[in-house]
Amino acid sequence: MAPEGGAAISRALVEQIVRDVVTKRLGSPDGHGPSKLVVHPSARHMHVCREHLDVLFGPGHELTPERELYQEGNFAAAETVTLIGPRSRVIPNLRILGPLRQKSQIELAFTDAIALGLDNVPVRLSGDTGGTPGAYVMGPKGMVELHEGVIRAAMHVHMNPAEAEYYGVKQGDVMKLRVGGDAGVVFDRVHVRIDPASRLNVHMDTDEANACALHLARDIELISEKRGER
Amino acid sequence: MAPEGGAAISRALVEQIVRDVVTKRLGSPDGHGPSKLVVHPSARHMHVCREHLDVLFGPGHELTPERELYQEGNFAAAETVTLIGPRSRVIPNLRILGPLRQKSQIELAFTDAIALGLDNVPVRLSGDTGGTPGAYVMGPKGMVELHEGVIRAAMHVHMNPAEAEYYGVKQGDVMKLRVGGDAGVVFDRVHVRIDPASRLNVHMDTDEANACALHLARDIELISEKRGER
C-alpha cells in the first residue's frame, strides 16, 4: 500500500528512475544483458556420432552444413536418414544436425514417435538417453541399430551467464514460458542450460509449438519463479 | 492474517467443518455436484451434414456407430473419408463423428493441418467456421468441396449447470487446465460449454495432448480464476 501524503516527485524524475532500472535489467549497450528472447520450434532430427556417420554415409564422411542454426556453430546438415521403428514403420528424410556428438541421439515430438510406433519415448534432456528406446537408422551406405537414444527433448532455454544472472537462475533450474494468444499456454518446465557461447533462445518441439500456436502468438514471456523473490 | 489469540477449536470440529465444505463443493451422494474430471484427446475428425453425407456415402445413408464417446449420444462412426488439401496432399481415413450436424466441419491439430498443406487454419470454437479454409472430401460415393469448415478446435470443457455453479463459471467463460508431470503445462484458454446433458470433460487435440504428455500426466487440475474470488 502506498503511504498517503508522500512527497510529490516530478515526471522527469520518474522517467529517469524507470530508465535506470530498465537499463540495469535489460542490459547496457555494451551487450552484457540478455538479448531478445527468441523461441524456436525444433522439428524432429538426429544428432550423430563419428562411428555411426561412418556406417551411414561411408568412412570419413563429413557433414555438409546447409543452414546455420541460431546457436553458433550448430547447423542443419544436408544429410538425412530414414528412421525405422518397430513394426517396420518409417520416418523418411530425418534431418541430421551438426556438429558431430559423442553419442547418437534422435529427438522426436510425441506425434512423430506415435506415428513411428514408439509409445514409450520419455521426456529427457539432451544427452540423457539411458534406458530410452532405440531404432534402426538407414543411410545411403549402411544401417545402424541404435540400442537407445530416442527421446522427446524436454523444453529448454539456452542462455549465457549474464542472462542467467539477469533472470536469477542457475544451470538445471526450471523456468516458465508463457505464450499468449487464442491458444494461450504456460509451459511450466523450461530447463535452463547455461553456456558462455549461448544466445538467449527457447527450444520447443513441434507438438509444443503447435499446441500454443507459436506461429500466431502475440506475446511471449520467459518467467523465473525466483525473480519475484529478489 | 489470522488474528492472534483466537479461540482454540478442537481437531474434531475442524474435521467436521472440512467434511461439510468438501461435501458441499464436490457434491452430495445424490449426484448433484461435479463428477470426476476426465480429459480426452480428440484425434482429427469430421462432423458431417445430411447433404454432404448423401454425396459422400449415397442418398439416405445413415452413420454406423462404432464406438460411443464420453458425451452421451456422440459416437465415432465406422465411416471414414479422405481429406484432400491444396497441392493434392491427402489425409486418409479421417473418422466421422456422429450424430449429423447442421454444418460439416473438420477438426485438425496444427500438425495435421501443416501436413495437409494448410497453414492458415484458425483456432475456433466448434460451429464458428466463418472465413475458415475449405478442403475437398472424398467418400466412396462422391466428392464434396467444403468452401469453409476446417478449424483447429479451441480447447474446451463440457459441463452441466451444477458443475458450472461449482466452478463459478458461465457459458463462454475461459478456465485454465494445469497438467503436471515432466512436461508440465498450464492451458490458459479452456472454453466453458454448458449443457444439461454434458458430463464434465475437457477436450484437447492431439498436439495439446502430446505437448503436455497427457498419457504420462500425474495430476490434472481444472482452475476457475473466479473461484478464488468467491
Side-chain angles (χ1 to χ4, degrees):
Chain A
M1 303 261 277
E4 286 179 34
I9 57 175
S10 75
R11 181 180 175 86
L13 180 55
V14 170
E15 287 178 352
Q16 182 56 48
I17 292 167
V18 170
R19 258 194 304 276
D20 289 351
V21 170
V22 168
T23 303
K24 197 173 163 191
R25 292 255 162 160
L26 294 180
S28 50
D30 65 2
H32 281 301
S35 39
K36 186 178 181 308
L37 176 63
V38 175
V39 180
H40 284 130
S42 292
R44 55 181 178 258
H45 62 267
M46 179 176 190
H47 298 286
V48 68
C49 68
R50 180 71 260 172
E51 180 195 353
H52 290 162
L53 188 63
D54 285 349
V55 176
L56 295 166
F57 288 86
H61 183 86
E62 293 296 338
L63 290 174
T64 312
E66 190 169 87
R67 185 170 60 86
E68 294 297 317
L69 300 181
Y70 191 70
Q71 294 300 328
E72 201 173 321
N74 292 284
F75 59 89
E79 287 81 358
T80 64
V81 293
T82 298
L83 186 57
I84 303 167
R87 293 174 279 165
S88 299
R89 294 200 205 167
V90 305
I91 289 180
N93 303 320
L94 183 72
R95 182 74 49 190
I96 295 179
L97 300 191
L100 293 177
R101 295 243 183 133
Q102 289 297 316
K103 268 197 305 190
S104 291
Q105 173 176 303
I106 291 167
E107 299 179 29
L108 303 179
F110 275 140
T111 297
D112 303 322
I114 292 162
L116 192 67
L118 290 175
D119 56 7
N120 57 345
V121 172
V123 179
R124 292 285 182 89
L125 283 168
S126 188
D128 176 21
T129 57
T132 61
Y136 287 93
V137 182
M138 193 171 64
K141 295 291 171 65
M143 174 90 88
V144 163
E145 182 182 359
L146 288 187
H147 297 289
E148 63 177 36
V150 181
I151 64 170
R152 168 186 165 183
M155 197 181 297
H156 55 278
V157 54
H158 295 282
M159 61 177 69
N160 66 35
E163 289 157 345
E165 192 183 343
Y166 166 74
Y167 283 111
V169 294
K170 59 184 195 308
Q171 185 80 9
D173 279 355
V174 170
M175 302 178 75
K176 291 180 191 289
L177 183 78
R178 191 184 66 78
V179 180
D182 289 348
V185 165
V186 179
F187 296 103
D188 275 350
R189 298 192 57 76
V190 182
H191 296 262
V192 174
R193 304 182 59 176
I194 303 169
D195 187 285
S198 286
R199 303 173 71 182
L200 186 64
N201 182 205
V202 172
H203 281 171
M204 58 174 64
D205 70 18
T206 47
D207 285 340
E208 291 162 332
N210 287 334
C212 72
L214 186 61
H215 61 297
L216 302 173
R218 288 190 289 270
D219 57 313
I220 299 181
E221 187 185 6
L222 183 64
I223 304 159
S224 168
E225 300 281 89
K226 290 181 182 163
R227 206 175 156 202
E229 296 166 14
R230 293 199 301 178
Chain B
M1 302 264 278
E4 285 180 35
I9 58 175
S10 75
R11 181 180 175 87
L13 180 55
V14 170
E15 287 178 354
Q16 183 56 49
I17 293 167
V18 170
R19 258 194 304 275
D20 289 350
V21 170
V22 168
T23 302
K24 198 173 163 189
R25 292 255 161 158
L26 293 180
S28 50
D30 65 2
H32 281 300
S35 41
K36 185 178 182 308
L37 176 64
V38 176
V39 180
H40 284 130
S42 292
R44 55 182 178 256
H45 61 268
M46 180 177 191
H47 298 286
V48 68
C49 67
R50 179 71 261 171
E51 179 195 354
H52 289 162
L53 188 63
D54 285 349
V55 176
L56 294 167
F57 288 86
H61 183 88
E62 294 296 338
L63 290 174
T64 312
E66 190 169 87
R67 185 169 60 85
E68 293 297 318
L69 300 181
Y70 191 70
Q71 294 301 327
E72 203 173 318
N74 293 285
F75 59 90
E79 288 80 358
T80 63
V81 293
T82 298
L83 185 57
I84 304 166
R87 291 173 281 165
S88 300
R89 293 200 205 166
V90 304
I91 290 180
N93 304 320
L94 183 72
R95 182 75 50 190
I96 294 180
L97 300 192
L100 293 177
R101 295 244 182 133
Q102 289 297 315
K103 267 198 305 190
S104 291
Q105 173 176 301
I106 291 167
E107 299 180 30
L108 302 180
F110 276 140
T111 297
D112 303 321
I114 292 162
L116 192 67
L118 290 174
D119 57 6
N120 56 346
V121 172
V123 179
R124 291 285 182 89
L125 284 169
S126 188
D128 176 20
T129 57
T132 61
Y136 287 93
V137 181
M138 192 170 66
K141 295 291 171 63
M143 175 91 88
V144 164
E145 183 182 359
L146 288 187
H147 297 290
E148 62 178 38
V150 181
I151 64 170
R152 168 187 165 183
M155 196 180 298
H156 55 278
V157 53
H158 295 282
M159 60 177 68
N160 66 35
E163 289 157 345
E165 192 184 343
Y166 166 74
Y167 283 111
V169 294
K170 59 183 196 308
Q171 185 81 7
D173 279 355
V174 170
M175 303 178 74
K176 291 180 191 288
L177 183 78
R178 191 183 67 77
V179 180
D182 289 348
V185 166
V186 179
F187 296 102
D188 275 349
R189 298 191 59 76
V190 183
H191 297 262
V192 174
R193 304 182 60 176
I194 303 169
D195 187 284
S198 286
R199 303 174 70 183
L200 186 64
N201 181 207
V202 172
H203 281 170
M204 58 173 64
D205 70 18
T206 47
D207 285 340
E208 291 162 332
N210 287 333
C212 71
L214 186 61
H215 61 297
L216 302 174
R218 287 191 289 268
D219 56 313
I220 300 182
E221 187 185 6
L222 184 63
I223 303 158
S224 168
E225 299 281 88
K226 290 180 183 163
R227 204 174 157 203
E229 297 166 12
R230 294 199 301 178

